[in-house]
Amino acid sequence: MKYIFILFLLVLGCSPENKELTNIFRYNEHKNISSLDPAFSKDLADIWATNQLFNGLVEMDDSLNVKPSIAINWIVSDSAKTYTFTLRNDVYFHNHGLFGKDSTRTVKASDFEYSFNRIKDKQIASPGSWVLNKVEDFYAVNDSIFEIKLTQPFPAFLGLLTMKYCSVVPKEIVEHYGTDFRANPIGTGPFKFKRWEENLKLVFRKNNNYFESDKQGENLPYLEAVAITFLPDKQSEFLQFAQGNLDYVSGLDASYKDEILTANGKLRDNYSNDVNMIRGPYLNTEYLAFYMDSDVSEIQSEYIRKAVNYGFDREKMMIYLRNGVGIPAHGGFIPKGLPGYSQKSGFNYQPEKAKKLVEQFKTETGNKNPEITITTTSNYLSFCEYIQRELQKTGLLVSINVIPASSLKDSKANGKLDMFRASWVADYPDAENYLSLYYSKNFAPNGPNYTHYKNDQFDAWYEQAFTETNTLERERLYTKMDSLVMASAPVVPMFYDEVVRFTRKNISGLGINPINLLELKRVKKTD
C-alpha cells in the first residue's frame, strides 16, 4: 500500500493537468492526526488540518480580532444575548462526486443549524460540546439568516465561535459516511481533501471554488496543494527540514534548539541564509501553583509565596533553558499578547527582598528551616531545579518531587499537592479563560481553580465582566482582577510561551498568531 501511494503522488505530480503541483506546502505532524472531522478538532494537530478544510461563521485574525468568514456581518441585541448572523451566498461545499459529477451546493443557514445540533448530540460525543454551554437556542430564520440566543451575556462568545468545532458541515455527506466522515471530510475551506494514508501522508488540493480573495482580487489560496507527513519525532522532522524536504517546522525542541539558535535566541549563521524564523507571543502561561487550602504553614504564608516570586531570575532562566524563546513572566497570570495583560501586576527579581520575606516568616512562626516541595514532571525538571538553586540562596529549603504527567493531573485536581508546576493554554482568546482559574465557584475537581483561591471582590468583578459589553472597560476589569490575584500570590508565573516558526526562504505570507493556528490560504511558495 505504501508503494501504491508513492506511485500515486508521482503520477499526481507529473501528469499534464497537474504540472503546477510543485507549488506544494510540506510540513510534518509528529503527533499524528486522529480525525479530519471538525467536531473532534481538540488537539492542535487536528485543528491545523481541519482549518484548511472548513470554515465557520467567523474567524480570528493574527491580532485576535474576530472577523467575518461565512457570515458577512452580525448584530448583537437583546442585552447582548442574541446574535443574528447574515450569511454569504457564494460559499460552496467542496465537490465530492457522491451524487453526480458536479456534487456541490451553497451553504445555507440550515447547515449551521444541523452542524451545531451535531456538536450537542450526546451520541456524537464531540469534545467541543462545551462551546454551546451558554446557548439557549439557535435556528435558521431563512436560508441566509442564522440566529443564536444565549442564556446570559457572554462577551467571549464570538471568540468561541471561531473554534473549529463550530465549522459548517453538509448533512447529506455526514450521514452518508457516518463515523467515516473523519476520513472523508467535505467542507468549504481553501483546500479540499484528496488522500489520506494514515501514519504515512495526507494530501489536500486547492479549492478552486473558494470564496475569499486578496486585496488585489486574486482568488485564494495561492498554493496548489498541502502535503503532511507523519514522522514520529521532532528530531527526524527537523532533519528533514534542514535537508530541504519540509517547508516549515513549528516549535523549539530540546533535541535541536542549540543546533539552530544561539543562547540569546538568534538564528545561527549556518541557517540564516536558508531559513526564516518568526516568533511571537503564545497564549500559554507556565507557572507554579500553591494549594491555598493546604495545611502546610509555608504554603499558607504570603511571605513565602511572595519570596518564591521574587527569588529567581526569570530572564536568566529563559536564556539558559530556552535559548531566549519565551517571555519572562514579570506580569500577572494573563499572558502577554492578550488584552488585559499588565506588567504592573506581577513580580521581578529581587533576591534581597525574597531573603527578608523568608526571615519574616522565620521570626513570626519560629520555624528556622522553612521548606517547600515542588511537584513536577520530568519535562520541566530543569526549570524546577533552576528555581530550587535560586531559592535556596534566600534561606528557603526546596525539594522536588517528579511524578508522571497523569499522576500530576489527577493529584492537582483533587488537592493532593501543596505546590506544583502547571501550564494554562487558552481554550479561546479571551482573558476570562485565564481568570476562570480563580473564581471560587470553579474549585477543582469541579472546575479549573486548582489553587482554591477565593476572594469576594474578585468574584464580584468576574461576574460583572460577563455583563460588560464595552470592550475597553471589560479589559480594565480583567487587569484589576489579575492584579488582585497576584497581590495574594497563589501562583508563580514563570514565563509566557512564544510561538516559534521556521520556514524555508521561499515561503512567504505564513504569519504568526498567539493561538498558534496554522493559516495557509495566504501562503506563497516560489521556486
Side-chain angles (χ1 to χ4, degrees):
M1 181 62 75
K2 177 178 179 180
Y3 297 108
I4 292 173
F5 185 60
I6 291 172
L7 180 61
F8 160 80
L9 289 175
L10 290 172
V11 171
L12 190 68
C14 298
S15 60
E17 67 269 27
N18 293 307
K19 61 184 178 181
E20 296 128 325
L21 278 186
T22 53
N23 189 18
I24 304 172
F25 185 87
R26 304 160 301 167
Y27 78 92
N28 182 68
E29 188 46 76
H30 70 282
K31 290 185 178 178
N32 219 326
I33 290 172
S34 60
S35 176
L36 294 173
D37 182 342
F40 296 91
S41 289
K42 180 180 180 181
D43 298 324
L44 199 59
D46 297 351
I47 292 169
W48 280 8
T50 55
N51 191 49
Q52 316 314 321
L53 302 173
F54 295 92
N55 298 97
L57 292 164
V58 290
E59 63 184 14
M60 193 78 67
D61 69 13
D62 286 349
S63 300
L64 301 184
N65 299 308
V66 177
K67 64 178 188 177
S69 184
I70 293 178
I72 300 173
N73 54 50
W74 56 89
I75 297 170
V76 183
S77 58
D78 185 26
S79 301
K81 290 192 292 185
T82 299
Y83 291 70
T84 305
F85 297 89
T86 301
L87 308 188
R88 301 176 64 121
N89 61 6
D90 59 348
V91 181
Y92 295 85
F93 286 113
H94 299 152
N95 193 346
H96 49 80
L98 281 176
F99 311 126
K101 186 176 180 180
D102 185 23
S103 298
T104 187
R105 65 173 178 81
T106 56
V107 172
K108 299 177 182 178
S110 56
D111 293 310
F112 277 100
E113 187 175 314
Y114 170 77
S115 300
F116 280 33
N117 274 318
R118 185 169 177 260
I119 299 172
K120 290 181 63 179
D121 189 339
K122 292 182 179 179
Q123 290 187 325
I124 298 295
S126 167
S129 60
W130 64 270
V131 171
L132 302 179
N133 281 350
K134 291 183 170 63
V135 173
E136 180 181 280
D137 196 12
F138 51 83
Y139 48 88
V141 177
N142 53 43
D143 284 352
S144 60
I145 304 293
F146 184 63
E147 193 156 282
I148 304 174
K149 293 184 179 292
L150 305 185
T151 56
Q152 66 181 76
F154 185 47
F157 182 63
L158 281 172
L160 290 183
L161 291 181
T162 67
M163 300 179 77
K164 297 319 295 181
Y165 297 129
C166 300
S167 301
V168 68
V169 296
K171 177 180 179 180
E172 65 273 24
I173 303 301
V174 174
E175 295 190 347
H176 174 82
Y177 282 113
T179 56
D180 285 338
F181 184 69
R182 65 173 288 280
N184 295 276
I186 295 294
T188 59
F191 298 92
K192 58 186 179 181
F193 174 75
K194 183 63 180 180
R195 180 75 178 261
W196 188 12
E197 285 286 318
E198 295 196 40
N199 303 311
L200 180 61
K201 198 159 190 175
L202 174 61
V203 178
F204 301 150
R205 289 291 306 274
K206 178 178 183 176
N207 174 16
N208 290 314
N209 289 326
Y210 190 58
F211 59 91
E212 287 190 89
S213 56
D214 63 18
K215 292 180 179 178
Q216 288 71 43
E218 183 178 352
N219 289 341
L220 299 176
Y222 304 118
L223 295 165
E224 287 298 324
V226 177
I228 306 166
T229 53
F230 298 98
L231 296 171
D233 65 271
K234 292 288 286 183
Q235 195 166 7
S236 300
E237 176 183 278
F238 179 72
L239 181 61
Q240 288 297 304
F241 175 73
Q243 293 174 348
N245 298 323
L246 294 175
D247 297 306
Y248 161 78
V249 291
S250 176
L252 190 67
D253 192 73
S255 64
Y256 62 78
K257 68 181 180 67
D258 295 323
E259 160 74 14
I260 194 167
L261 292 186
T262 63
N264 62 355
K266 303 294 184 183
L267 271 175
R268 293 195 180 275
D269 291 342
N270 53 326
Y271 286 100
S272 58
N273 290 331
D274 301 315
V275 174
N276 285 325
M277 179 178 74
I278 46 179
R279 56 193 280 190
Y282 179 38
L283 298 188
N284 173 31
T285 298
E286 298 284 345
Y287 66 103
L288 303 176
F290 300 98
Y291 181 57
M292 302 293 278
D293 284 341
S294 170
D295 294 329
V296 176
S297 60
E298 287 91 338
I299 303 299
Q300 284 291 316
S301 171
E302 193 172 299
Y303 293 142
I304 296 297
R305 297 197 303 269
K306 287 185 174 179
V308 175
N309 268 289
Y310 284 121
F312 68 100
D313 190 332
R314 293 164 173 82
E315 301 271 358
K316 282 186 179 179
M317 186 174 70
M318 290 292 94
I319 292 171
Y320 294 147
L321 300 178
R322 295 267 299 188
N323 290 69
V325 175
I327 302 165
H330 296 307
F333 194 71
I334 298 172
K336 191 170 184 178
L338 193 62
Y341 164 82
S342 171
Q343 190 162 333
K344 297 177 181 178
S345 299
F347 298 85
N348 50 22
Y349 181 45
Q350 296 188 48
E352 292 305 316
K353 190 167 187 174
K355 288 178 185 177
K356 288 180 181 178
L357 287 165
V358 173
E359 285 301 320
Q360 281 180 278
F361 174 81
K362 290 179 179 180
T363 301
E364 293 189 12
T365 64
N367 183 349
K368 301 301 181 184
N369 297 296
E371 183 175 2
I372 58 173
T373 298
I374 304 173
T375 300
T376 184
T377 59
S378 57
N379 286 346
Y380 287 85
L381 178 58
S382 59
F383 291 93
C384 293
E385 287 177 336
Y386 172 84
I387 293 170
Q388 177 189 45
R389 290 191 297 271
E390 292 285 293
L391 291 181
Q392 286 178 340
K393 299 173 187 176
T394 70
L396 182 63
L397 297 175
V398 180
S399 300
I400 298 175
N401 179 30
V402 181
I403 62 175
S406 57
S407 299
L408 191 148
K409 182 179 180 181
D410 179 70
S411 296
K412 75 176 184 180
N414 290 288
K416 296 178 181 178
L417 302 175
D418 295 314
M419 186 179 181
F420 52 89
R421 191 218 67 84
S423 61
W424 189 260
V425 181
D427 290 319
Y428 48 92
D430 190 281
E432 180 274 334
N433 191 222
Y434 286 85
L435 297 169
S436 67
L437 272 70
Y438 305 100
Y439 185 47
S440 65
K441 293 182 181 179
N442 285 342
F443 273 13
N446 300 315
N449 188 342
Y450 302 110
T451 63
H452 280 208
Y453 170 87
K454 186 180 189 308
N455 182 288
D456 291 341
Q457 179 63 75
F458 178 92
D459 288 351
W461 283 341
Y462 183 81
E463 291 167 4
Q464 181 185 341
F466 279 89
T467 60
E468 181 55 68
T469 56
N470 182 295
T471 302
L472 291 177
E473 188 55 41
R474 191 168 68 253
E475 288 172 9
R476 279 192 282 269
L477 265 176
Y478 289 159
T479 302
K480 284 166 63 177
M481 283 187 270
D482 201 20
S483 296
L484 185 62
V485 170
M486 295 310 299
S488 299
V491 291
V492 183
M494 297 191 297
F495 64 93
Y496 314 119
D497 212 348
E498 284 188 289
V499 179
V500 183
R501 294 180 167 181
F502 302 98
T503 68
R504 312 300 303 179
K505 286 285 188 181
N506 63 339
I507 299 296
S508 62
L510 182 63
I512 197 165
N513 53 77
I515 55 175
N516 198 17
L517 183 66
L518 185 63
E519 187 69 79
L520 297 179
K521 61 188 176 186
R522 290 183 173 82
V523 169
K524 290 183 177 181
K525 181 177 178 180
T526 56
D527 294 335

